[in-house]
Amino acid sequence: MTTIKLHNTRTRRKEDFAPLDPDNVRMYVCGPTVYDRAHLGNARPVVVFDVLYRLLRHVYGPDHVTYVRNFTDVDDKINARAAESGRSIGEITAETTQWFLDDMAALGALKPDHMPRATQYIPQMVAMIEGLIAKGHAYEAEGHVLFAVDSWREGYGKLSGRSVDDMIAGARVEVAPYKRNPMDFVLWKPSSDDLPGWASPWGRGRPGWHIECSAMAHELLGESFDIHGGGNDLMFPHHENEIAQSCCAHPEGQFARYWLHNEMLQVEGKKMSKSLGNFFTVRDLLDQGVPGEVIRFVFLSTHYRKPMDWTAEKAREAEKTLGKWRNLTNSARSGGRADPRVLAMLYDDLNTWGAISLLHEMAKSIQDCQRVQVHQQEVDDFAASARLMGLLEDNAVMGSWIFDGAVEILASKATIENLVAHFSDARLKAMETKDFSEVDRLKSALTDAGVEVRMSKEGVELVPGPDFDPAKLEALK
């Protein structure tokens, strides 16, 4: 029986994952607010939970996993962007939503089963807020509706591990005269004529940020579901508030049973910041020629619960590695099986770093065997193991390969063909003169360039290996 272990933020320990219903494993992950391009930090949870989605599908079957990731398309940042640009809110959210989907697809992320937009679930949000008011967990004040934290004081703060008093002292809370308690948070707020708004029992307005995820998760996944994920910057206040309003609105349910949070991202050892000049979007990297698969590889090379440092050197090494691995798997068939050792790493709280270390070992084994005869199943299983993490897929966007990789290999085919003719001529001449010095020189240079020299009665064959370096062929032209 396969056992997946996941670190549950709520219990602060690694637990055996036991879904409520193995025939319908359910996961909700907080998605983007669509007002601009996704920056590199936004992409990390997408890749992390894409790997978990793939793993769950592998274990329980693709038809037995439901993955929901939302779009926040009603937000003050979107309103501000519309006011600055003079464009309509609908035009901005439609454009930026597609940008996000395109950029995440370039990173090899599968589409979730549901991608709800907040504006599609306003009636469900209004109904949930009405229920919270009726149960004494929310109140109306000056056109706003707020959740009363004191009404659920015994449960509030368990996810982040802090008391309400501690959170009041040091947390990000909005101070307003109509709040009964500084920790109370907005469920509904009024909208002026120039802002998006919907009719409600409390007047024309729009939802607060936190209520949307609770309403959409309940509508699509039910009162209780298995996994809720996101970056650890969402733990408080967003996820803490989700738990409070969901458990109070539907006390018969558990809301999410396992909470997973990925750590934050740095760039060259520093927090990503526009003021430091190290802030960039996924699209910036893609447009610079960094393949999406390389970005994914760098992300997965660090455990999701560890801070990740993006560096140019890591990107170059990732390109180099992926170039070699793709060359190794040119002959891979679709019938491979993920290596049990790689699976064991992923089952252990998504240890992608350990899984990639094993892929390095497997690649070296295949490379060493190529000089003799590698078993085709070994190649197939290596490819299947990598593909389980979204690597080496046929539809990967490979970009321009700024490293001496795929493009240069293709460009060197003509050079290799010329060298085959040159080597064949030198070999024939050596057989006549018994002077093999030129043949030995060519063979040594080709081997040094990562090209395997195969000689038989039928002739000469030159096969680029995983260490093929096109630049070293220049001297032999």
Side-chain angles (χ1 to χ4, degrees):
M1 178 66 178
T2 298
T3 300
I4 299 175
K5 291 182 177 292
L6 299 174
H7 186 274
N8 191 343
T9 304
R10 179 180 263 178
T11 61
R12 288 160 188 78
R13 66 175 184 266
K14 197 184 295 185
E15 300 177 351
D16 290 352
F17 175 65
L20 289 164
D21 179 3
D23 288 331
N24 185 19
V25 182
R26 287 159 285 171
M27 176 170 70
Y28 187 99
V29 175
C30 290
T33 300
V34 284
Y35 69 98
D36 206 344
R37 288 281 187 185
H39 61 67
L40 201 57
N42 299 143
R44 192 181 189 195
V46 173
V47 172
V48 167
F49 291 102
D50 179 68
V51 173
L52 179 55
Y53 181 42
R54 290 168 182 267
L55 187 64
L56 294 172
R57 285 162 59 94
H58 176 82
V59 173
Y60 296 98
D63 296 332
H64 301 292
V65 180
T66 303
Y67 174 22
V68 178
R69 187 184 66 219
N70 73 294
F71 286 105
T72 296
D73 61 348
V74 52
D75 185 88
D76 289 343
K77 291 179 181 178
I78 301 172
N79 300 337
R81 182 57 54 90
E84 292 169 4
S85 64
R87 302 171 68 198
S88 71
I89 288 172
E91 184 181 0
I92 290 172
T93 57
E95 178 181 60
T96 51
T97 296
Q98 192 58 53
W99 283 350
F100 182 85
L101 292 173
D102 291 344
D103 291 347
M104 297 309 107
L107 303 188
L110 300 174
K111 281 188 177 182
D113 300 284
H114 300 281
M115 294 186 286
R117 303 184 186 196
T119 54
Q120 299 170 331
Y121 289 80
I122 300 296
Q124 290 86 342
M125 296 179 206
V126 170
M128 182 175 280
I129 294 170
E130 287 182 304
L132 288 168
I133 293 174
K135 294 174 181 177
H137 293 294
Y139 59 94
E140 183 182 1
E142 298 184 20
H144 296 73
V145 180
L146 297 107
F147 183 88
V149 170
D150 281 338
S151 73
W152 202 60
R153 198 177 183 94
E154 72 281 2
Y156 196 81
K158 287 186 177 180
L159 181 69
S160 53
R162 292 176 288 179
S163 70
V164 173
D165 292 335
D166 288 341
M167 287 188 263
I168 291 174
R172 299 171 290 173
V173 295
E174 179 186 356
V175 177
Y178 48 78
K179 285 187 176 185
R180 296 177 184 172
N181 181 319
M183 291 300 298
D184 293 350
F185 56 89
V186 173
L187 301 174
W188 189 265
K189 52 189 172 183
S191 290
S192 57
D193 292 340
D194 60 330
L195 293 175
W198 292 262
S200 81
W202 320 285
R204 184 177 181 275
R206 60 197 191 277
W209 175 34
H210 313 298
I211 193 68
E212 66 178 66
C213 287
S214 288
M216 289 187 284
H218 179 263
E219 183 72 13
L220 295 169
L221 300 177
E223 296 160 354
S224 303
F225 57 94
D226 298 301
I227 298 169
H228 197 311
N232 68 358
D233 58 324
L234 299 179
M235 192 187 308
F236 181 84
H238 185 51
H239 288 166
E240 200 76 72
N241 292 350
E242 276 189 69
I243 293 171
Q245 63 202 9
S246 294
C247 289
C248 289
H250 304 287
E252 65 279 11
Q254 299 174 278
F255 194 45
R257 300 173 65 238
Y258 300 85
W259 286 82
L260 273 67
H261 292 90
N262 63 274
E263 256 290 356
M264 295 296 97
L265 175 143
Q266 297 179 324
V267 176
E268 303 289 351
K270 297 179 180 179
K271 182 178 179 180
M272 190 166 63
S273 166
K274 289 181 180 179
S275 62
L276 295 176
N278 67 346
F279 179 95
F280 43 83
T281 67
V282 173
R283 179 51 52 181
D284 290 334
L285 289 178
L286 296 172
D287 288 345
Q288 291 167 17
V290 180
E293 188 180 34
V294 167
I295 300 172
R296 185 183 187 94
F297 187 98
V298 175
F299 281 176
L300 298 183
S301 297
T302 300
H303 193 280
Y304 79 93
R305 288 196 297 110
K306 300 289 185 182
M308 201 214 83
D309 189 20
W310 172 274
T311 69
E313 179 59 28
K314 286 181 180 178
R316 284 191 290 269
E317 286 300 314
E319 280 189 313
K320 185 176 180 179
T321 296
L322 288 167
K324 291 179 179 178
W325 288 3
R326 283 193 168 274
N327 199 33
L328 281 175
T329 55
N330 281 336
S331 64
R333 304 168 303 187
S334 60
R337 294 162 297 183
D339 189 282
R341 297 170 300 163
V342 172
L343 286 170
M345 287 293 179
L346 297 179
Y347 293 153
D348 186 12
D349 196 30
L350 295 185
N351 187 358
T352 56
W353 175 84
I356 285 178
S357 297
L358 284 170
L359 289 177
H360 279 292
E361 292 182 17
M362 294 170 69
K364 186 177 185 303
S365 174
I366 294 172
Q367 180 182 336
D368 290 344
C369 290
Q370 275 189 336
R371 294 184 177 86
V372 189
Q373 184 178 3
V374 64
H375 197 286
Q376 181 64 48
Q377 191 63 49
E378 190 175 352
V379 175
D380 297 344
D381 292 350
F382 172 72
S385 301
R387 288 169 183 160
L388 182 59
M389 291 189 285
L391 301 171
L392 303 188
E393 293 189 322
D394 293 337
N395 59 349
V397 179
M398 299 307 298
S400 62
W401 283 94
I402 54 176
F403 170 72
D404 294 339
V407 169
E408 293 199 16
I409 288 174
L410 292 173
S412 299
K413 282 187 175 180
T415 300
I416 291 177
E417 289 173 3
N418 290 336
L419 286 171
V420 168
H422 182 46
F423 195 101
S424 298
D425 290 342
R427 184 184 179 214
L428 288 173
K429 184 177 180 180
M431 293 174 68
E432 294 175 359
T433 64
K434 308 303 181 184
D435 180 3
F436 287 87
S437 58
E438 177 63 6
V439 172
D440 293 339
R441 184 189 74 82
L442 289 172
K443 185 175 181 180
S444 176
L446 287 163
T447 302
D448 184 56
V451 178
E452 181 183 356
V453 180
R454 299 175 182 174
M455 292 183 284
S456 66
K457 293 180 180 180
E458 287 72 29
V460 174
E461 183 181 7
L462 302 182
V463 181
D467 294 321
F468 177 49
D469 185 351
K472 292 183 178 180
L473 296 182
E474 294 299 317
L476 295 177
K477 286 184 180 179

